[in-house]
């Protein structure tokens, strides 16, 4: 996101006012800034989160496959109108299809 010089100045003034009025805010911002500048910030968490997400997807996929298989075999065929065999259906167009 590119900011103009004027926008950067305004944001800097807002941050300075917040730092002056709320020292706890200043400490939190400083801690977050220091953490984001570290080389391995969040790398372990990201790997764990990805591994957990992949495991959850695998488990849910397996469960869904079993449900589809079990329901597919257990479900009776749908009851609908019984159609006559094709050989007994009259052809409204005559013998030659015209």
């Amino acid at each position: 996101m590119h900011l103009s010089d004027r926008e950067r100045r305004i944001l800097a003034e807002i941050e300075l006012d917040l730092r002056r009025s709320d020292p706890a805010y200043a400490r939190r911002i400083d801690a977050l800034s220091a953490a984001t500048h570290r080389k391995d910030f969040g790398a372990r968490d990201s790997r764990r989160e990805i591994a957990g997400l992949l495991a959850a997807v695998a488990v849910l996929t397996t469960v869904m496959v079993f449900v589809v298989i079990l329901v597919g075999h257990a479900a009776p065929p749908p009851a609908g109108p019984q159609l006559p065999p094709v050989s007994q259906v009259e052809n409204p167009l005559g013998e030659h299809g015209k």
Side-chain angles (χ1 to χ4, degrees):
M1 179 170 83
H2 299 287
L3 300 175
S4 68
D5 290 337
R6 179 176 179 269
E7 291 169 331
R8 279 186 237 155
R9 250 189 342 269
I10 291 171
L11 286 175
E13 289 173 11
I14 292 171
E15 183 180 354
L16 185 59
D17 287 343
L18 284 171
R19 285 179 176 280
R20 287 180 184 155
S21 65
D22 191 357
Y25 165 79
R27 286 191 299 274
R28 285 193 307 263
I29 294 300
D30 291 340
L32 284 172
S33 294
T36 57
H37 291 296
R38 284 189 306 193
K39 189 171 149 182
D40 64 337
F41 176 71
R44 292 180 189 160
D45 292 337
S46 296
R47 289 184 193 127
R48 288 180 185 157
E49 288 172 358
I50 291 171
L53 181 64
L54 290 175
V57 168
V59 168
L60 290 174
T61 302
T62 304
V63 169
M64 289 302 296
V65 166
F66 281 124
V67 167
V68 168
I69 290 172
L70 292 176
V71 169
H73 288 297
Q82 297 295 324
L83 300 175
V86 175
S87 62
Q88 295 178 1
V89 175
E90 293 180 24
N91 185 355
L93 300 177
E95 287 183 22
H96 302 290
K98 292 184 182 182

